[in-house]
Amino acid sequence: MHFISTHRCNAHCVMCGIWNEVDSRADELAPEDLDEILADRLFSAMEFVGVSGGEPFVREDLPEICRVILGRCAKVQRVSLTTNGLLCKRMSRTLPEIADEISAARRLLDVSVSVHGIGEGLDSIYGVDGAFQKIERTTELLEELRNDGRLSFSMNCVLLADNLHQARELKVWAADRTIPLNFVIGEDRHRFRTEGLDGAFATGDDMGELVGFLGELVDDPALSAVTAGKYREIIAMLEGRKERSLSCYYAMGGLVLGHDGRLFYCSHSRDIGSCRERSPWEIYVDPENLAYREEELIQRECRRCPPYTRTRREIGKDLPRVLIEVVRRRLRKPRSNS
């Protein structure tokens, strides 16, 4: 499950217009609201819960939200927090508390920090002066908590027209700090209010540079076969040679819970109902909603949705392809068009 905890954000990213929205505070699920919703049978078997925004750390009750998730989702194994890393002081106060409670519950905590450039390049993309300096302070906190065994953390970079020239430098910066770095392509998504922001994404002349960089990642021996296979798939999709064939967590039963209680099948889904008004289980299995899921999402949207990350369940389903990638890399075969 992916829980969008808020639409409030303290960054003004060039590829996201969510910060332009009216303050979402009045519509946000309070911890007691979330507790009532997660008591529904739909969430009883959830093994993974990701918490994002907006920026989740703008919520002062984030520790309580995590507490509710731990209490209600009995089978959850891992909780992930996605952050822009700019609220250094608040993170230093609240993240150790969250980490300790998740550790005490014998679950895993992973923090993913969005980092889309180096120095002033990141400041420009975030629309925040000194953003990269704040990221570096946040990294120090996360390294300390990681060294204590209280969490794992990684970084995520959306590849855009404005940061392609910094991608290699960012890759080296993360590697020097032994921070896993995931690259994804910027794309138009209604949830991020990207209408009118097309200029931020790589198109035209930038596309060759984007594909070239992804090709370097495919051939990088430091990356796993799983990660290399993901980048290989993205290249094939960008070049128009194939539709998506890798498995998708959401197509296998994942879901998205919005900050206001609306339910979605995935990040490309329309909302299928409000959990404030109806049982989440009834919403999810409603015949009309399931028909929309199959006909509009799985049969259409899924085929052109590039892979973002690779979860354990996705890897398991794609195991034969992973093994092929392992063999290909051991033989050091160059990237092909197949």
Side-chain angles (χ1 to χ4, degrees), residues 36-273:
E36 183 176 350
I37 289 172
L38 293 185
D40 188 87
R41 61 184 290 194
L42 181 64
F43 305 98
S44 61
M46 290 292 167
E47 298 180 351
F48 164 80
V49 177
V51 181
S52 71
E55 169 51 46
F57 281 93
V58 302
R59 293 200 57 158
E60 296 183 1
D61 57 358
L62 186 59
E64 191 172 352
I65 288 172
C66 293
R67 201 171 299 125
V68 168
I69 291 170
L70 292 174
R72 281 298 183 186
C73 301
K75 293 187 178 181
V76 69
Q77 299 176 8
R78 182 165 65 93
V79 176
S80 176
L81 298 176
T82 300
T83 174
N84 59 34
L86 299 180
L87 294 174
C88 316
K89 292 181 179 179
R90 180 170 295 179
M91 290 183 69
S92 67
R93 293 196 307 269
T94 60
L95 189 55
E97 175 186 352
I98 293 171
D100 287 344
E101 292 201 14
I102 291 177
S103 178
R106 297 188 177 182
R107 276 76 172 263
L108 302 176
L109 172 63
D110 178 68
V111 178
S112 177
V113 184
S114 298
V115 184
H116 311 300
I118 295 283
E120 293 181 358
L122 179 67
D123 296 1
S124 177
I125 289 173
Y126 266 162
V128 176
D129 291 337
F132 188 69
Q133 293 176 344
K134 294 177 180 179
I135 291 289
E136 290 185 307
R137 291 201 293 273
T138 294
T139 299
E140 292 175 0
L141 168 66
L142 292 170
E143 286 176 330
E144 179 182 339
L145 295 173
R146 179 182 64 181
N147 293 340
D148 289 342
R150 296 154 81 182
L151 55 74
S152 62
F153 81 97
S154 60
M155 289 184 169
N156 181 66
C157 174
V158 178
L159 293 171
L160 304 163
D162 289 344
N163 68 0
L164 282 174
H165 66 286
Q166 286 197 326
R168 295 172 183 82
E169 183 181 358
L170 179 61
K171 183 174 179 286
V172 172
W173 181 88
D176 287 345
R177 291 158 179 77
T178 63
I179 303 171
L181 176 60
N182 177 49
F183 290 99
V184 298
I185 60 172
E187 56 176 334
D188 185 3
R189 290 195 181 190
H190 176 70
R191 183 176 92 74
F192 295 112
R193 305 299 185 262
T194 53
E195 297 86 354
L197 301 178
D198 295 349
F201 307 125
T203 57
D205 294 340
D206 296 323
M207 190 58 65
E209 185 177 354
L210 173 59
V211 170
F213 175 67
L214 292 173
E216 292 176 19
L217 296 177
V218 168
D219 295 331
D220 186 348
L223 299 184
S224 69
V226 169
T227 303
K230 181 192 73 171
Y231 293 132
R232 190 185 297 277
E233 177 99 339
I234 293 174
I235 291 171
M237 293 179 69
L238 289 174
E239 293 180 339
R241 292 186 279 109
K242 60 180 293 188
E243 296 178 330
R244 173 171 176 158
S245 59
L246 289 176
S247 299
C248 173
Y249 166 79
Y250 292 103
M252 291 188 286
L255 55 89
V256 177
L257 177 63
H259 73 285
D260 54 4
R262 290 180 296 160
L263 199 64
F264 306 80
Y265 284 123
C266 69
S267 60
H268 287 287
S269 167
R270 63 166 171 79
D271 84 83
I272 56 174

Side-chain angles (χ1 to χ4, degrees), residues 294-312:
E294 177 63 30
E295 296 167 10
E296 298 296 327
L297 296 177
I298 294 179
Q299 294 301 323
R300 296 184 183 181
E301 199 65 48
C302 286
R303 295 179 179 180
R304 57 177 181 260
C305 179
Y308 191 78
T309 57
R310 302 297 290 143
T311 67
R312 177 175 56 82

